[in-house]
Amino acid sequence: MASWGAACIETEPLLAADTVVSPMSHDSPPVRRLADWDHERLEAVAAEHGTPLYVVDLDRVAENYERFAAAFPDAHVMYAAKAHTGQAVLSKLLETGADIECAAWGELQRAIDAGADPNTLQYTAVNPPDRDLDRAVELAAEHPGLTITGGARDTFDRLEERGYNGRVAIRINPGIGTGHHEKVATGKDAKFGIPYDEVPEVAADVRERFDLVGLHAHAGSGVLHDDLDDHCRAIGKVADMGREVIADGAELDFVDFGGGFGVPYREDVEPLDMEIVGEKVREAVGDLDAQVKLEPGRYVVADAECILTEVNTVKETPAATVVGVDASLATLIRPAMFGSYHPIRNVTAPEREAEPVSVGGPCCTSADVFCTDRPLARPERTDLLAIGNAGAYGYELANQFHSQPRPAEVAFEGGETRVVRERETLADVTRMER
């Protein structure tokens, strides 16, 4: 049996022949900290476009993708769109050479709008609504290269009911979950994928009805050093299942091991050494007569974006110094949803003496807090603060709680700055009401 590196070279190249990928800058660090952003440039865009404001560095997005792809030169690396579906981000990644994996119909459409060839897309929905499945089947009828992944027997039955007999992959539940929070440890959550021991039987059935081209799994998200061994153990189980299904007669184009590799949100945590990660993954996969696919999402975009927010209130209390800002859990919900740590920096005066403060927004809930008793260069009213690592699931989870319009998004690319998402107005918030 061939090694997975050799197998992928034989089946299909990583990039199309006419794709041009710029060489990755040797000055690109494995993680960008808030102190690495150009503070003068951040102050300038905040003054021009207001706050709260998302700022995405598209060059950093490309650098992160290229670093990941370089660590897996024989794999087919797809970007997991759910981390950030902004058109500017998707277009930049397509230009850089990435293909796109989509977890919902809307993501398929956004990828196509950004310039993706539908024949290169992979649709990995969980419990897809009827309307989404209808549209995916219609899209595949026109673009038979599209792959639809099913994680339940019902999904395959529903596809057959729609007359579909094209390319499918089976999502496996490896029974091992990893990541920064139990809510993202999908590899052990029954919601995701066919139970591991049932996969051979399901594969035999699916081969009779469809063109079974792959297996898929995703163990979790935000994997760093402590989770890496478990993550590779999950990869090894999925690879073992790939070999079993192939031995049973399936001719798989690929086995997709998902993404999940994290970036350090805390300043004292070191980034993953992707060369070492690549070696560990190759060891876990072993010989596999199919293309290996990987789907980084967070790794590509997390540290490429920050949020700018203005201080409007400083309140001394016996319990804490409370710093009020105009960003809220409607801007960035991850701290409220996952208890996530996001670095915060005083852009206006980083040299001031640090003191412990609690930073929160204008929402009428105690969950609207970005940090509690964290040392920060003493904020004063009208200071500009930056909240880091906002690129992954930041704007994607932004909402309109308290009738707050969602913020604008500005992109840095080279020396240019442009608005890539307009700030909503209250009229936008209420537009669909009757």
Side-chain angles (χ1 to χ4, degrees):
M1 184 174 290
S3 71
W4 66 267
C8 88
I9 292 172
E10 293 167 359
T11 54
E12 60 174 308
L14 172 60
L15 305 178
D18 58 352
T19 300
V20 177
V21 178
S22 60
M24 185 174 65
S25 168
H26 295 295
D27 298 327
S28 171
V31 64
R32 171 181 276 184
R33 310 292 188 181
L34 269 179
D36 299 329
W37 287 80
D38 183 334
H39 284 32
E40 290 186 3
R41 196 173 184 186
L42 293 179
E43 288 185 298
V45 295
E48 181 176 357
H49 300 286
T51 57
L53 181 70
Y54 272 85
V55 181
V56 61
D57 186 334
L58 297 177
D59 295 322
R60 180 66 184 173
V61 170
E63 290 169 2
N64 288 341
Y65 172 80
E66 289 169 358
R67 184 186 314 103
F68 189 97
F72 301 96
D74 296 328
H76 184 172
V77 179
M78 309 183 79
Y79 168 64
K82 62 181 176 290
H84 193 307
T85 57
Q87 291 293 284
V89 168
L90 294 179
S91 295
K92 185 67 175 183
L93 285 165
L94 289 167
E95 173 190 318
T96 306
D99 282 332
I100 309 294
E101 181 268 341
C102 304
W105 164 254
E107 292 176 9
L108 284 173
Q109 188 59 58
R110 289 169 78 102
I112 294 168
D113 291 344
D117 177 356
N119 286 295
T120 67
L121 297 175
Q122 190 165 312
Y123 175 50
T124 312
V126 179
N127 303 330
D130 283 344
R131 60 183 178 277
D132 289 20
L133 214 54
D134 290 341
R135 290 168 175 169
V137 168
E138 291 168 3
L139 183 63
E142 298 179 7
H143 305 279
L146 176 74
T147 302
I148 299 178
T149 302
R153 294 174 189 252
D154 264 1
T155 302
F156 294 110
D157 291 342
R158 293 166 67 204
L159 285 170
E160 185 177 40
E161 289 166 5
R162 286 161 171 77
Y164 183 76
N165 61 3
R167 291 169 57 89
V168 299
I170 297 172
R171 180 163 185 170
I172 301 172
N173 186 314
I176 301 172
T178 57
H180 69 88
H181 193 280
E182 63 180 8
K183 292 181 180 177
V184 301
T186 56
K188 63 180 180 182
D189 188 334
K191 176 179 177 180
F192 300 94
I194 303 291
Y196 188 83
D197 293 340
E198 297 178 20
V199 172
E201 176 189 343
V202 173
D205 172 62
V206 167
R207 284 170 53 203
E208 295 294 322
R209 299 189 282 166
F210 309 95
D211 181 13
L212 176 60
V213 298
L215 302 180
H216 176 278
H218 179 71
S221 181
V223 172
L224 287 171
H225 311 278
D226 292 344
D227 292 313
L228 191 55
D229 286 345
D230 280 345
H231 196 71
C232 287
R233 190 160 57 90
I235 286 173
K237 282 193 69 174
V238 175
D240 287 343
M241 183 56 68
R243 284 183 280 272
E244 181 174 345
V245 170
I246 290 170
D248 286 345
E251 297 181 2
L252 299 181
D253 291 351
F254 66 84
V255 177
D256 187 337
F257 297 93
F261 300 106
V263 297
Y265 284 54
R266 294 182 180 271
E267 294 88 342
D268 59 350
V269 176
E270 291 298 311
L272 294 170
D273 184 325
M274 292 311 296
E275 291 187 5
I276 293 176
V277 171
E279 293 171 2
K280 284 181 172 288
V281 170
R282 277 186 283 275
E283 181 180 351
V285 172
D287 291 336
L288 184 61
D289 195 14
Q291 171 105 72
V292 165
K293 283 189 178 184
L294 295 167
E295 301 169 0
R298 182 189 308 274
Y299 184 88
V300 174
V301 294
D303 72 357
E305 190 153 26
C306 66
I307 296 168
L308 300 180
T309 183
E310 183 177 282
V311 175
N312 55 49
T313 304
V314 178
K315 180 171 62 174
E316 304 284 351
T317 77
T321 297
V322 177
V323 176
V325 296
D326 58 4
S328 71
L329 61 77
T331 314
L332 179 70
I333 202 172
R334 296 190 70 253
M337 180 179 288
F338 301 117
S340 302
Y341 178 99
H342 282 263
I344 302 175
R345 186 173 175 84
N346 190 328
V347 175
T348 300
E351 74 285 351
R352 287 193 199 131
E353 183 177 353
E355 63 179 55
V357 299
S358 298
V359 179
C363 291
C364 190
T365 168
S366 298
D368 188 21
V369 176
F370 295 113
C371 70
T372 302
D373 293 331
R374 187 185 302 179
L376 188 65
R378 189 185 69 257
E380 298 177 359
R381 190 146 45 93
T382 75
D383 279 355
L384 183 68
L385 305 186
I387 303 173
N389 282 6
Y393 310 101
Y395 210 108
E396 290 302 302
L397 293 172
N399 59 82
Q400 298 168 331
F401 183 48
H402 275 339
S403 294
Q404 294 183 80
R406 283 174 293 197
E409 184 177 30
V410 169
F412 293 164
E413 188 171 18
E416 301 295 321
T417 302
R418 70 180 191 275
V419 176
V420 293
R421 198 168 340 216
E422 298 285 347
R423 186 178 303 280
E424 288 183 341
T425 66
L426 185 57
D428 295 320
V429 174
T430 61
R431 188 179 309 281
M432 303 306 292
E433 294 182 15
R434 294 292 182 269

